[in-house]
Amino acid sequence: MLNVKLICVGKLKEAYWRDAVAEYEKRLRPLCKWELIELSEARLPSEPSQAEIDAALEKEGEQILRHAAGKIIPLCIEGKQVDSPGLAKRLAGAMQSPGAVSFVIGSSYGLSPAVKAAGEGLSMSPMTFPHQLARVMLCEQIYRGFQILGNTKYHK
């Protein structure tokens, strides 16, 4: 069974986002070994300098890479856009050795260069989404990917 980690910087504050993610977690647990890891966001002043942002991203990146396993898929604007069947192919590829995949959603300032370099980036869209919504969308797409691989009627 594929080990799927979703590593996120920050927590979901609103109950409706947590409920949506919980629904997809419930659906995913029979399909994979699911793990959601929420890491603390580095504290920054209200108007941080670029050096402070870079240092925070590096610190967050170290935490992310300590928790990541298998194929790392950071979500970033520079990543490749794929359709749902394309994401299913990435899941199928991860099912091969070593049998693990780690999706990563960074903080509002993004991800460190080290995290981006550790894997093949994925972009959900050229548009920008709040991290809470991106998390729900990614959970749904991972679920959809498993349904595509299972040849079910969920993906039409």
Side-chain angles (χ1 to χ4, degrees):
M1 183 176 279
L2 181 63
N3 180 11
V4 179
K5 290 186 178 193
L6 175 53
I7 304 169
C8 302
V9 178
K11 296 185 184 250
L12 295 178
K13 295 177 181 122
E14 293 85 1
Y16 55 90
W17 294 127
R18 290 192 307 269
D19 291 345
V21 169
E23 175 61 29
Y24 287 108
E25 286 179 327
K26 180 178 78 177
R27 294 179 185 195
L28 283 163
R29 283 201 177 97
L31 305 171
C32 63
K33 182 180 177 202
W34 175 260
E35 186 177 3
L36 172 63
I37 299 168
E38 292 181 321
L39 303 174
S40 298
E41 193 169 354
R43 296 208 182 264
L44 288 168
S46 59
E47 294 188 33
S49 68
Q50 189 59 52
E52 290 170 319
I53 293 169
D54 292 345
L57 290 177
E58 184 177 330
K59 182 179 175 185
E60 291 169 357
E62 290 168 0
Q63 288 185 76
I64 289 165
L65 293 174
R66 274 196 302 270
H67 287 90
K71 184 175 185 169
I72 298 172
I73 302 178
L75 271 69
C76 53
I77 193 97
E78 308 89 355
K80 182 178 178 185
Q81 291 180 23
V82 297
D83 57 10
S84 297
L87 183 61
K89 284 182 185 175
R90 285 195 183 191
L91 289 171
M95 287 178 188
Q96 309 309 313
S97 181
V101 62
S102 297
F103 291 91
V104 181
I105 299 176
S107 67
S108 60
Y109 288 101
L111 292 165
S112 72
V115 172
K116 291 178 185 180
E120 185 180 350
L122 173 67
S123 173
M124 297 181 91
S125 167
M127 295 184 277
T128 302
F129 299 106
H131 288 132
Q132 299 91 333
L133 179 58
R135 187 184 305 192
V136 173
M137 291 169 54
L138 179 59
C139 288
E140 190 281 335
Q141 285 298 297
I142 294 169
Y143 175 71
R144 183 178 295 274
F146 278 107
Q147 295 305 306
I148 291 169
L149 294 175
N151 207 20
T152 71
K153 292 183 181 182
Y154 183 82
H155 179 74
K156 297 174 187 165

